[in-house]
Amino acid sequence: MTICRTLALLAFFCLLPIEAVTAEGITVHDARDRDVVIDNPSRIVSIGGAITEILYALGFEDRIAGVDATSLYPPAALREKPDVGYMRQLSPEGVLGLHPSLVLAVQGSGPKETMDVLEAAKVPLVLVPETFSEAGLVEKIRLVGHAMGADPRAACLTTAVESDLAQLRALRARVTKPARVMFVMSLLNGRAMAAGHKTAADEIIRLAGGVNAIDGYDGYKPVNDEAIVAAKPDVVLSIDRGKDSLTSDAVFAHPAFALTPVAANKAFISMEGLYLLGFGPRTAAAARDLSVKLYPALAPEADSFKAAAPTANCRQ
């Protein structure tokens, strides 16, 4: 290392908040079932839209050196921070070129070769578990907060999220006849890519008071016409993907969906992807919005739902 570079690094560390410099090493148990020791959570590359949301909600936006392409909220994230690319197509150069002191990456980030290089670079790499459940959401916030040495801030945010989830449970209890909802990511060559169990889509449907019409597998898989008809969906749910978005016209014109209640009801819902499936601090609000779309009669009840997260003052 050159003398100039050494002096530059010393100057950089002298400007860091006292909290970051003097904090004892923080140990985080991550999704790889490993303990990661973090000495300096002052310069973060955040990979995963929910992680970025949590960091902003906790007041750590000034410590974010870069984000991935799924970090769509708050909008300032991608507008103000360098973009290291899509979370499943990362390059090690793009991440390490930002000189992070910590990489927080949602479980499933990749490719594996990139993650191996990041690990070998000796930069603390924490893989944040992606468990699609109320408990998994709360634990995600706690883990990110702990990695930042900010357990009290994380406790504040989890309290707000738990309050939102409690309000959502009360709203969900008003549902008397759950709708059968099929989440369709795309229609490729006439085959629907549909969400089964153990997916964000499956859990958000449940949180909103619906039932996943697909009940035979885990993950996302293409389903044939016979499976679509047999599933008898009342509603098709999808996400807004710009020009690649699934459209209601495509669903209603599909010969298999034409034989289901979806076509008869003209029931198609599309929502912004990170909001609907991100499982960050806004998840309860997203489920509330979906619930109202599924059950318009719940609108008066939903109006009293006052989401505390991520607007809770948990930044100090």
Side-chain angles (χ1 to χ4, degrees):
M1 181 180 292
T2 66
I3 293 175
C4 290
R5 180 170 172 76
T6 301
L7 291 173
L9 285 172
L10 286 172
F12 171 76
F13 283 114
C14 287
L15 292 173
L16 291 177
I18 296 299
E19 169 188 21
V21 176
T22 62
E24 303 252 338
I26 300 162
T27 300
V28 176
H29 195 76
D30 77 351
R32 299 165 298 181
D33 200 26
R34 299 182 188 179
D35 288 334
V36 181
V37 177
I38 302 164
D39 294 318
N40 177 23
S42 64
R43 188 170 173 81
I44 317 303
V45 170
S46 174
I47 299 169
I51 295 176
T52 301
E53 282 196 40
I54 292 167
L55 288 171
Y56 269 82
L58 295 178
F60 290 120
E61 58 269 32
D62 290 344
R63 296 196 191 184
I64 300 175
V67 298
D68 80 307
T70 70
S71 297
L72 301 174
Y73 185 89
L78 273 177
R79 186 172 64 243
E80 299 173 356
K81 307 293 183 180
D83 179 0
V84 298
Y86 178 54
M87 56 171 285
R88 300 191 197 281
Q89 298 174 349
L90 301 168
S91 74
E93 296 82 6
V95 175
L96 295 175
L98 296 175
H99 308 293
S101 64
L102 171 63
V103 177
L104 291 174
V106 72
Q107 186 177 12
S109 298
K112 182 181 182 302
E113 294 76 14
T114 292
M115 306 312 284
D116 290 343
V117 171
L118 295 181
E119 237 179 301
K122 305 303 181 183
V123 175
L125 168 64
V126 174
L127 287 189
V128 180
E130 188 73 290
T131 304
F132 302 117
S133 66
E134 294 183 26
L137 168 57
V138 169
E139 183 55 33
K140 184 188 296 183
I141 295 169
R142 286 179 178 151
L143 189 148
V144 171
H146 184 60
M148 299 300 296
D151 292 323
R153 297 192 199 188
C156 172
L157 185 57
T158 58
T159 297
V161 167
E162 286 168 336
S163 173
D164 291 350
L165 291 170
Q167 291 185 76
L168 182 63
R169 284 192 290 273
L171 181 67
R172 195 164 60 239
R174 308 280 295 183
V175 175
T176 56
K177 185 181 179 183
R180 294 178 60 80
V181 184
M182 182 183 291
F183 179 87
V184 179
M185 182 69 73
S186 62
L187 281 173
L188 185 61
N189 298 323
R191 300 192 75 182
M193 180 65 71
H197 295 306
K198 297 183 179 179
T199 60
D202 179 71
E203 181 63 11
I204 203 72
I205 290 168
R206 187 197 68 79
L207 288 174
V211 172
N212 191 347
I214 296 295
D215 194 33
Y217 59 80
D218 297 340
Y220 295 86
K221 295 181 180 179
V223 293
N224 59 28
D225 289 2
E226 291 79 6
I228 292 172
V229 174
K232 299 179 181 178
D234 298 309
V235 181
V236 164
L237 174 65
S238 193
I239 57 172
D240 185 356
R241 303 168 65 197
K243 62 182 179 61
D244 296 321
S245 299
L246 182 65
T247 66
S248 58
D249 288 345
V251 171
F252 300 149
H254 190 280
F257 283 114
L259 300 176
T260 71
V262 165
N265 301 335
K266 296 296 181 185
F268 175 82
I269 299 169
S270 182
M271 295 175 64
E272 195 271 317
L274 179 62
Y275 185 53
L276 183 68
L277 304 180
F279 273 76
R282 300 178 296 155
T283 288
R288 172 209 54 200
D289 291 352
L290 175 58
S291 188
V292 171
K293 292 175 184 293
L294 293 172
Y295 314 107
L298 291 182
E301 297 283 341
D303 285 344
S304 64
F305 184 119
K306 303 299 181 185
T311 58
N313 185 18
C314 302
R315 298 167 59 87
Q316 299 184 30

